[in-house]
Amino acid sequence: MWLKPDEILLKNAFKLWLTEKDNEYFVLQRRRGYGEGGGGLTGLLVGTLDTVLDSTSKVAPFRILHHTPDSQVYWSIACGVTKEEIVQHWDWLQQNIMRTLSVFDSSEDITSFVQGKIRGLIAEEGKTSLVLEDDPEKFREALLRFEKWFELPLQEKLVTYYSCSYWRGKVPCQGWLYLSTNFLCFYSYLLGSEVKLVISWDEIWKLEKTANVILTESIHVLAHGEDHYFSMLMHLNETFVIMEQLADYSIKRLFDKEAFKKEPALSDPMQITKRGLEAHAKSAQFRTFFRLPNEENLLEAHESFLWVPFCHFNTLGKICLSENYLCFASQDGSQCHIIIPMREIVNVEKPDSSSKALTVCVRGKRAVRFSEVRDYQRLANAIRSRCGISPSPQHSASSEVIRGECQSLINHFEDNPEDVTLMVGQKDSSKAVSTEALMTVFHPQDVENLDPKMLKEKMKEQSWNIHFSEYGRGTSMFFTRKTRDLIVRGVPEALRGELWMLFSGAVNDMATHPGYYTEVVEQSLGTSTLATDEIERDLHRSLPEHPAFQSDTGISALRRVLTAYAYRNPKIGYCQAMNILTSVLLLYAKEEEAFWLLVAVCERMLPDYFNRRIIGALVDQAVFEDLIRENLPQLVEHMTDLTFFSSVSLSWFLTLFISVLPIESAVNVVDCFFYDGIKAILQLGLAVLDYNMDALISCHDDAEAVTILNKFFDSVTNKDSPLPPTVQQASVGHNDKSSHLNVDISELIREAYEKYGNIRSEEVESSRKRNKLYVIQTLEDTTKQNVIRVVSQEVRFSASHLDELYNLFKRQHFLSCYWTMQSPALLHHDPSLAYLEQYQLGFQQFSVLFSLLEPWGFCTTKSTLSLWVFRLIDENQDGLVNFKEFCWAIDTLCCGSFTNKLKFLFKLHLPPAFDLPEDGVIRKSPERGRGKVDLQAYLKQWQNEILKKEETIKDLPRINQTQFIQFSKTLYNIFHGNPEEESLYRAVAHVTSLLLRMEEVGRRLQESSSPPESTKPSGISAAEESSAEDASSTPESSDTSSSHNSQDAGAEVDWSFSFEQVLASLLNEPTIVRFFERPFDIQRKLAQAKVAQLKLKVKK
């Protein structure tokens, strides 16, 4: 490998390098301790020094130096792993450089020319792969070490590397941590002790930062039940973020099948860079904080001050710019942020260059002023270009005209409030779609009613109107502490839908997709899928006590919203609890708004909640457990097993407390959720447990604890709710409230914010990432245990062997997905299917794994025989093999009796395995996770499996002459390379000859009653002659002769054999019986397969 010319002093290297070749301008050297005469104490010391100092010499012990006769300075220009590689570089220098150097007069010119030439070669090599790296030269050297030490496939992309210590017990090993797209690797070499570690990201259970007495701060990795600690990192936080991103990327790509089509930096696993991962992490954090659509990416960030109106102070924070939004978030504890859609900006002004300020004018006669922006000129131009505003002087001159147009537009909307929806781009909705919130239809507010509750409701509305007048209304509103205080007190009924849309970001989704909902409703009408069936089943279970859902109006609206969302997002489709949440959304929001609120909840605010495995809810339950340990130590001391709280709180998270609280109280919780996200639900959960602390500590079992919580929820009321009793929801649990005093929901929420409001959203997101790994691996482990339990009943392998086989099978599935986004294997993984069907292998994947595990080495990855094995075990002929089918094949060949092994080989040469055109394997590619599931077909298949009789040898059809000849060839292939190869060949030839003679005798007995035909004996003799030639020739030559003679014979005679005849003949050959009955060391084979699996390239 060519190196960037680096100056060295040769006299300091004499003790470490030996000269192999030299001439006037170049020296080829070998590192002491390597090659001939290497090893010993010198080799150990040099090797250790190279590893600790990150020397390229550890993996490249050969180098070429450039020098000139009249200089004492040497320049390293190349290094090599092997002598052949470095000699190739040396020869290139002799042929292309040496002749040219003679024309230069000075040493400086020679050195300058050589350096320029080498840099040109390096630039040419790194044009494509290293252009995005921060330091291409160092990265090239690190990549060389990475490839040499770990011997991973060349497609594997190294992302970054760090110097660190790896702890083996209480002993630290200084070395290097390499982070690639699919693997975490570590290498250390100290005094002859080599430590090499390779862990794939999809196998990691835990990834966290820890600290203890010995290690002040370290990164803890749990994989395969083993703990790994990495410490003494120069940039520990940076390292941890990259590791976290790579693990999350692997989980999303391999388990969630996310393709990252809208993120070019992550769309190709072979081009992942550290810079791309960091940008992805920042964009994800940016979108989460500001509740922006998933398409938005953080483009730039600038520190600045924002002038907060009516508070008369500047707040320090950051301006964040994306494709379609200008956002600001304070960093001084004032909890102020603002989101300005580009579509709302009408002008950008720079009033005062001395203060580096700019003013953003937005619709509604409002302006937002930023000051002390370092690069304010460039930021102003960037905003203008994204808004389509011309920065020319003519634009400034016409600014008054624009302001006048905006003012007239504002006046129009003030006079015609019903037209305000046009400002967010709504189209005229279809008449079939409800345009009113159900609460306004079924419980219109009585303006003349002046009871205390209505008066308090009016006071709330007045408070919000004052807030709107000070901080703005709708998009571009300032979010401050005062906003949260108003939320905690309770949102007025009339404003609830509007504020939910604003806080969730759904208002932006609806504004940028005018008419989308109406189109989706029309397209989804009349569709029949599993999702629509489940929706119909649950429609009348959604708030059945509420009058809105006792009528066709509410039921029809609920059906349209749920069906439209299932059509929009078939990956989620429909999941229980979505109906309860959507029914509440429809009470306070118009139908189209309810749809976009559901989109915001399912796709942004509660990711992975609404799918078959409810992973998101399980992750948040794990976060909740962590918070309980941290905030409620008394409860933890009494109830050491916190899984009880996970089971009891599942409905809290899935339905945002709607299923456990009366509706008039639950909507206050939903208010907080839309403002603060999952943090609000976690805080309230802690407050509920804290409120019932004494009762929970004194309870004796889980049932008693559940009863206590149910009675508590029944006692929660909303004393300020203006809803009449006919609309309020009946108690969910027990009606006996004597044991609990009524608890007001506003007081409970206020207490939750006072006691647990210090929980930061960033900490919650970090905890989510950490726990997601553990939750997914727990689910995967449950799947594995269930599969092993089923398969163990039908094979002879032990549970530990099945465990290792399953790991190999699963890894083989993932190997074809590691280096491409378009792998068809990803389509074969569907967690919603039965356990056995979740991981399946196509033919290419199967052939690689089968060649590693089959006992006789007769199946190579490109062997036709592996295709026959695949066809034989693929019972439903869908082009995929599950773990049970795979284990049956391996178990038969490794642990089966002589008869079973022979029967397996015999069936390989019968249809459907043998007698099929070899034009591909996959005959049908089943659709996964979409459409209706044919339950009758599943039941029929299950019934057939139960009633299926065990196959006997008499049930097998006879084998014809073509199949029998191929069967003989297969036996020759199996015996090839065996110490008893010659005797085995002779035994097969003897059996073949014997079978043919038996067939001839049987045929003659049949022919005794019919006229003789002179051609038949000659056919048999030809076949016999072919067999005899087999015994005295190699398998390769016998293939040709047997095939030719059998064709001649087949034209005249049709002959066949039964399995009983073949078995009886082979049983008479002790050599063959001994070969097949020899014990097989499956443990050794599994260990070899585990090592070799990564090194074999899988065909896509």
Side-chain angles (χ1 to χ4, degrees), residues 488 683 687 747-758:
V488 172
Q683 288 174 181
E747 291 298 316
L748 187 62
I749 290 174
R750 185 182 57 76
E751 189 177 329
Y753 272 90
E754 286 179 358
K755 285 190 174 182
Y756 309 108
N758 59 344

Side-chain angles (χ1 to χ4, degrees), residues 986-998:
R986 282 196 296 271
V988 172
H990 182 261
V991 167
T992 306
S993 176
L994 179 63
L995 285 169
L996 289 170
R997 290 183 184 280
M998 287 168 58

Side-chain angles (χ1 to χ4, degrees), residues 1006-1071:
Q1006 290 178 0
E1007 290 170 358
S1008 60
S1009 58
S1010 61
E1013 295 181 23
S1014 59
T1015 56
K1016 290 182 182 178
S1018 64
I1020 298 298
S1021 332
E1024 283 184 32
E1025 188 179 342
S1026 167
S1027 320
E1029 288 177 7
D1030 284 348
S1032 58
S1033 62
T1034 63
E1036 289 78 5
S1037 62
S1038 68
D1039 289 351
T1040 309
S1041 60
S1042 298
S1043 176
H1044 175 72
N1045 289 328
S1046 65
Q1047 287 173 5
D1048 292 342
E1052 301 168 343
V1053 180
D1054 289 330
W1055 44 268
S1056 63
F1057 302 111
S1058 69
F1059 177 70
E1060 291 171 294
Q1061 290 176 300
V1062 175
L1063 176 62
S1065 302
L1066 289 173
L1067 281 171
N1068 288 323
E1069 297 295 333
T1071 314

Side-chain angles (χ1 to χ4, degrees), residues 141 147 307 376 486 506 741 768 811 892:
E141 296 179 15
E147 291 174 350
W307 176 253
Y376 73 101
L486 289 173
L741 295 173
R768 271 178 160 180
R811 171 174 272 195
T892 302

Side-chain angles (χ1 to χ4, degrees), residues 353-368:
S353 58
S354 62
S355 62
K356 298 181 179 179
L358 56 88
T359 301
V360 178
C361 302
V362 298
R363 289 192 178 101
K365 203 177 179 180
R366 293 178 52 229
V368 181

